[in-house]
Amino acid sequence: QVHVVESGGGLVQAGGSLRLSCAVSGSIFSVDAMGWYRQAPGKQRELVAMITNGGSTNYADSVKGRFTISRDNAKNTVYLQMNSLKPEDTAVYYCNARVRSTYYSLDAYWGQGTQVTVSS
């Protein structure tokens, strides 16, 4: 069984910063790509940022230059540093991890989500 647990959301004023964390634990052989998605009310879930186990990153255009994704492979943890936050960044942020429980398996797991609210 694999567990994905996020932390770090909250309420912040526009222009402020937050750091999200996501730890993966359980029956793990290895963790491949990890990423952050978000879903605002009435909108579809969208990719915010993704990082491979080799450190390659990909960002949504709306967050480039403001958000930074990083990971600690020894801790199976991914981080999202969010700076210069805007009200339109308000959403529930979800962590996604692609986990191999064995060498031959690869499954995607989601966290429960953490609320980020940016006030104007």
Side-chain angles (χ1 to χ4, degrees):
Q1 199 169 13
V2 174
H3 303 280
V4 179
V5 179
E6 302 119 335
S7 60
L11 173 64
V12 65
Q13 288 188 332
S17 299
L18 282 174
R19 188 190 194 212
L20 305 182
S21 300
C22 170
V24 181
S25 62
S27 180
I28 298 170
F29 175 77
S30 67
V31 181
D32 287 9
M34 302 178 80
W36 290 94
Y37 291 71
R38 67 187 181 188
Q39 188 167 19
K43 294 188 177 181
Q44 290 188 334
R45 190 174 297 188
E46 62 175 0
L47 174 68
V48 176
M50 180 73 70
I51 185 168
T52 68
N53 55 5
S56 296
T57 58
N58 183 40
Y59 294 92
D61 288 342
S62 59
V63 306
K64 283 181 181 176
R66 300 188 297 122
F67 291 10
T68 301
I69 190 170
S70 62
R71 65 188 284 170
D72 183 334
N73 289 334
K75 295 181 179 180
N76 291 326
T77 299
V78 63
Y79 306 96
L80 185 67
Q81 178 66 44
M82 304 185 292
N83 298 328
S84 302
L85 282 160
K86 304 175 181 180
E88 50 264 43
D89 294 318
T90 295
V92 178
Y93 283 69
Y94 296 92
C95 177
N96 177 272
R98 297 173 190 176
V99 179
R100 296 184 183 274
S101 297
T102 69
Y103 179 82
Y104 300 101
S105 68
L106 182 63
D107 297 292
Y109 294 87
W110 292 93
Q112 78 284 359
T114 185
Q115 177 71 45
V116 171
T117 303
V118 184
S119 62
S120 57

